[in-house]
């Protein structure tokens, strides 16, 4: 199905297009008439709409304050501004009604798509779950099983046959399997290509996400008019969202259909929500979809860039292997699954992952909504109902934060005497900062470390020397990530003592 505008919306779009400069971007309310002159014109925005990330990054880095002003929009990479937005004046910068309207059909009222008291209640409940040792153990177990039982078999087969694989696609499938098991204890087996229902869900989810991303690049009256008339891409969203909701609701019904003792013995997020007894079926459905959205849009993208960077730098891969060997040797665990404590001791691997995220943050542009007139610490005025965006991609190329070698891939910048040292979240806001800091930050590192170590111990990848970024909603690798796989053979000497079998 073609997503182009039908004739009527196209005519309306052309008619109103040139009035867009005088209305708020993605807001149907009138703006304050006190808007100051802008540094970047609307017509420049239109001209660069197909390279918005690269263009705004160039402008931000060229600005003395690392901040630029566009029509009804401020974009910044200034750490002091980011601290002000995400912490000091947090209440003045919610996600906003525009953001929530764009994601309303897909994310409903889930934690990603909520503000205020509704967000606080979900945040408090989710915080309790993520703070337990049990959930971290479960996550590690699910990741380990998925990698050992499915991913390793696929990579081994590719190594034996010489077939090329799209590693990003495999990582994407793995992430969906993991998050569904952690959230609902349901295994969609998407890494094994799933059943008909799973394939229908994924197809619909991707179609809906494509329409949602398109909304960000349109004035709200355009996509709302299409939705009202049931035409263009909005027609497709309406057709596909039912399959997304049906899949998630089926899981909710299955969970509620369990016996009470079975629910109590379960450790997934959904079972705990069912036990509370105060949540509607629709809200439980939204929990599932929000978690799938969060997992699918972040971890696979980060790990794609990780494996590319490591595969093009043999010295980095060798040092990671040395660290794994050393940790295994200290614990006497020469060929078993890596434990939580062992993963935590891998400071260099943690540094490589952090350096990957610095250069290739999965979500490089994060928008907020200004509730009341404000002034940022660098003197930039922000008017009520303006959009404020922080650009974490540009921050990775700021000499004032990372030094003259900021564009180099250098994991050592995160280490002090061999021990990992985190940076301020306002200089490295990949996991956000302030009250909305990502609750899954620690578990994300656990998953990434477990996946990275398990794969690197056994496989090497032949990859392209260079690649291009593609920004849609996340910072993906353009054209996917095709790899040729080689399975490692023999033994490595464990620098912490003993030998490590690499069979």
């Amino acid at each position: 199905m073609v997503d182009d505008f039908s004739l009527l919306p196209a005519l309306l779009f052309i008619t109103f297009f040139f009035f867009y400069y005088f209305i708020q971007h993605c807001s149907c309310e009138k703006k304050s008439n006190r808007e100051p002159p802008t540094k970047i014109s609307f017509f420049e925005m239109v001209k660069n709409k197909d390279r918005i990330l690269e263009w705004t990054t160039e402008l931000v880095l060229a600005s003395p304050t690392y901040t630029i002003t566009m029509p009804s929009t401020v974009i910044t990479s200034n750490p002091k501004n980011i601290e002000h937005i995400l912490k000091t004046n947090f209440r003045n910068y919610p996600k906003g009604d525009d953001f929530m309207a764009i994601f309303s059909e897909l994310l409903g009222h889930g934690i990603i798509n909520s503000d205020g008291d509704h967000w606080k209640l979900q945040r408090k409940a989710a915080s309790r779950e993520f703070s337990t040792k049990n959930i971290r153990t479960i996550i590690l177990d699910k990741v380990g099983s998925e990698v050992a039982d499915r991913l390793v078999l696929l990579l081994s087969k590719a190594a034996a046959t010489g077939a090329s694989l799209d590693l990003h696609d495999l990582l994407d499938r793995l992430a969906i399997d993991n998050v569904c098991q952690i959230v609902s204890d349901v295994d969609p087996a998407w890494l094994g290509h799933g059943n008909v229902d799973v394939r229908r869900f994924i197809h619909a989810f991707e179609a809906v996400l494509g329409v949602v991303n398109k909304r960000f690049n349109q004035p709200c009256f355009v996509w709302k008019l299409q939705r009202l008339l049931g035409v263009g891409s909005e027609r497709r969203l309406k057709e596909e969202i039912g399959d997304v909701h049906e899949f998630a609701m089926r899981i909710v019904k299955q969970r509620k259909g369990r016996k009470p003792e079975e629910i109590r013995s379960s450790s997934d997020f959904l079972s705990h929500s069912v036990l509370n007894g105060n949540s509607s079926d629709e809200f439980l459905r939204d929990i599932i979809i929000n978690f799938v959205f969060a997992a699918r849009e972040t971890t696979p993208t980060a790990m794609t860039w990780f494996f590319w960077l490591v595969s093009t730098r043999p010295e980095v891969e060798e040092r990671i292997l040395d660290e794994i060997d050393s940790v295994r040797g200290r614990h006497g665990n020469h060929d078993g699954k890596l434990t939580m404590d062992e993963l935590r001791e891998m400071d260099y691997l943690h540094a490589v992952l952090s350096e990957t995220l610095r250069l290739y943050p999965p979500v490089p542009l994060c928008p907020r909504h200004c509730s009341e007139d404000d002034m940022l610490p660098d003197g930039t005025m922000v008017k009520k109902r303006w959009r404020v965006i922080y650009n974490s991609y540009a921050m990775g190329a700021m000499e004032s934060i990372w030094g003259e070698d900021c564009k180099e891939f250098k994991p050592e910048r995160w280490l002090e005497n061999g021990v990992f040292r985190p940076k301020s979240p306002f200089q490295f806001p990949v996991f956000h900062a302030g009250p909305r800091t990502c609750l899954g930050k620690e578990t994300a590192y656990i998953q990434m470390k477990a996946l990275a170590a398990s794969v690197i111990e056994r496989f090497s990848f032949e990859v392209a020397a260079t690649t291009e970024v593609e920004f849609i909603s996340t910072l993906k690798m353009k054209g996917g990530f095709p790899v040729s796989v080689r399975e490692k053979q023999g033994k490595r000497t464990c620098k912490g003592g003993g030998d490590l079998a690499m069979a």
Side-chain angles (χ1 to χ4, degrees):
M1 182 182 295
V2 178
D3 284 340
D4 292 336
F5 297 138
S6 66
L7 180 60
L8 178 58
L11 291 173
L12 291 171
F13 179 77
I14 292 170
T15 302
F16 290 106
F17 182 85
F18 293 103
F19 290 95
Y20 177 52
Y21 182 87
F22 301 103
I23 65 171
Q24 177 178 321
H25 180 59
C26 228
S27 172
C28 294
E29 301 177 63
K30 291 184 178 180
K31 294 190 308 180
S32 167
N33 57 11
R34 295 176 295 167
E35 178 182 344
T38 59
K39 296 179 182 178
I40 309 299
S41 74
F42 169 71
F43 298 101
E44 289 179 89
M45 293 170 62
V46 173
K47 180 182 177 181
N48 290 279
K49 65 182 178 61
D50 293 329
R51 55 183 300 269
I52 192 70
L53 177 62
E54 296 88 344
W55 178 60
T56 57
T57 296
E58 292 165 4
L59 292 174
V60 164
L61 292 177
S63 168
T65 61
Y66 300 112
T67 305
I68 58 174
T69 303
M70 297 181 174
S72 302
T73 302
V74 170
I75 302 179
T76 186
S77 290
N78 187 315
K80 291 183 179 179
N81 288 349
I82 292 174
E83 183 172 6
H84 180 83
I85 294 162
L86 299 183
K87 181 182 177 182
T88 309
N89 203 10
F90 169 75
R91 293 185 179 217
N92 196 46
Y93 294 96
K95 290 199 169 182
D97 293 341
D98 295 337
F99 180 96
M100 291 188 285
I102 287 172
F103 280 101
S104 58
E105 291 90 345
L106 180 62
L107 300 181
H109 299 289
I111 190 170
I112 296 175
N113 204 40
S114 58
D115 278 324
D117 291 340
H118 193 65
W119 166 76
K120 288 180 182 178
L121 289 173
Q122 295 187 68
R123 175 82 180 190
K124 185 176 181 181
S127 180
R128 285 196 300 267
E129 296 292 337
F130 275 105
S131 64
T132 64
K133 182 178 180 180
N134 187 43
I135 189 62
R136 294 191 288 271
T137 302
I138 291 169
I139 288 173
L140 180 57
D141 179 65
K142 297 294 185 185
V143 173
S145 297
E146 185 77 8
V147 171
D149 297 342
R150 290 180 179 149
L151 183 61
V152 165
L153 293 179
L154 290 170
L155 294 177
S156 293
K157 183 178 179 180
T161 61
S164 178
L165 294 173
D166 183 348
L167 189 55
H168 183 275
D169 179 61
L170 294 185
L171 296 173
D172 187 43
R173 292 170 182 270
L174 178 111
I176 290 174
D177 284 350
N178 281 333
V179 73
C180 286
Q181 292 180 67
I182 293 165
V183 174
S184 65
D185 201 27
V186 170
D187 180 11
W190 184 229
L191 194 55
H193 297 285
N195 57 31
V196 174
D197 290 336
V198 173
R199 290 196 293 271
R200 183 185 299 118
F201 164 70
I202 297 299
H203 172 82
F205 188 91
E206 290 177 347
V208 171
L209 189 58
V211 177
V212 168
N213 289 332
K214 189 173 182 179
R215 287 176 172 179
F216 272 105
N217 297 318
Q218 297 174 326
C220 73
F221 70 83
V222 174
W223 66 261
K224 286 186 176 181
L225 179 60
Q226 287 189 76
R227 184 174 64 178
L228 178 65
L229 298 175
V231 296
S233 58
E234 292 297 320
R235 180 175 65 182
R236 186 175 189 190
L237 184 149
K238 187 175 181 180
E239 293 169 348
E240 301 285 3
I241 195 65
D243 285 337
V244 175
H245 288 167
E246 182 183 351
F247 179 83
M249 190 61 79
R250 189 182 302 120
I251 294 175
V252 171
K253 298 294 185 182
Q254 290 173 354
R255 181 61 69 254
K256 282 195 166 184
R258 284 183 171 184
K259 296 178 181 179
E261 56 270 22
E262 291 178 328
I263 296 177
R264 281 192 292 271
S265 64
S266 299
S267 54
D268 57 274
F269 279 73
L270 197 62
S271 292
H272 291 183
S273 298
V274 169
L275 283 174
N276 291 334
N278 298 321
S279 301
S280 66
D281 288 357
E282 289 73 20
F283 179 68
L284 296 176
R285 175 201 70 194
D286 291 344
I287 288 178
I288 295 171
I289 296 173
N290 273 250
F291 273 90
V292 169
F293 173 82
R296 186 184 180 279
E297 289 295 289
T298 52
T299 307
T301 299
M303 294 309 296
T304 296
W305 290 110
F306 167 85
F307 282 118
W308 175 71
L309 287 164
V310 171
S311 296
T312 53
R313 292 162 175 80
E315 71 284 0
V316 173
E317 180 176 0
E318 189 66 21
R319 187 166 172 182
I320 292 173
L321 287 168
D322 287 345
E323 181 176 65
I324 296 171
D325 292 358
S326 179
V327 170
R328 282 190 178 280
R330 285 199 300 273
H331 290 266
N333 177 16
H334 301 299
D335 56 8
K337 288 184 178 180
L338 291 162
T339 66
M340 190 82 65
D341 289 338
E342 290 166 351
L343 291 170
R344 284 183 175 137
E345 291 179 21
M346 295 181 187
D347 288 284
Y348 184 72
L349 179 55
H350 201 110
V352 175
L353 288 164
S354 298
E355 183 72 346
T356 301
L357 292 168
R358 179 183 77 85
L359 292 173
Y360 299 101
V363 184
L365 299 176
C366 296
R368 290 293 184 265
H369 171 88
C370 181
S371 297
E372 299 293 339
D373 290 0
D374 192 22
M375 179 180 287
L376 301 180
D378 68 0
T380 302
M381 288 298 303
V382 185
K383 293 297 183 178
K384 182 177 180 179
R385 292 190 292 271
W386 279 19
R387 181 186 292 182
V388 179
I389 300 172
Y390 62 92
N391 185 332
S392 55
Y393 182 66
M395 295 188 79
M398 287 172 58
E399 292 187 10
S400 59
I401 299 176
W402 307 104
E404 294 182 357
D405 60 357
C406 59
K407 294 184 180 180
E408 296 179 21
F409 179 74
K410 187 179 177 182
E412 291 76 16
R413 74 176 77 247
W414 296 86
L415 300 172
E416 185 177 318
N417 297 322
V419 178
F420 180 83
R421 290 289 181 259
K423 304 295 183 183
S424 163
F426 306 109
Q427 296 178 325
F428 180 65
V430 173
F431 293 93
H432 308 302
R436 286 196 95 132
T437 298
C438 178
L439 289 170
K441 178 180 178 179
E442 183 179 355
T443 56
Y445 271 111
I446 290 170
Q447 291 183 72
M448 291 189 293
K449 281 184 170 182
L451 172 60
S454 298
V455 171
I456 286 178
E457 277 190 306
R458 187 160 181 173
F459 302 98
S460 291
F461 301 118
E462 182 179 331
V463 303
T466 59
T467 187
E468 295 181 56
V469 299
E470 181 179 41
F471 174 61
I472 302 175
S473 58
T474 55
L475 197 65
K476 297 183 183 296
M477 190 175 290
K478 190 173 183 179
F481 186 32
V483 301
S484 295
V485 187
R486 181 177 63 83
E487 192 157 7
K488 295 172 180 173
Q489 303 295 330
K491 291 185 177 181
R492 284 177 53 85
T493 299
C494 212
K495 294 192 176 181
D499 289 335
L500 173 64
M502 295 301 297

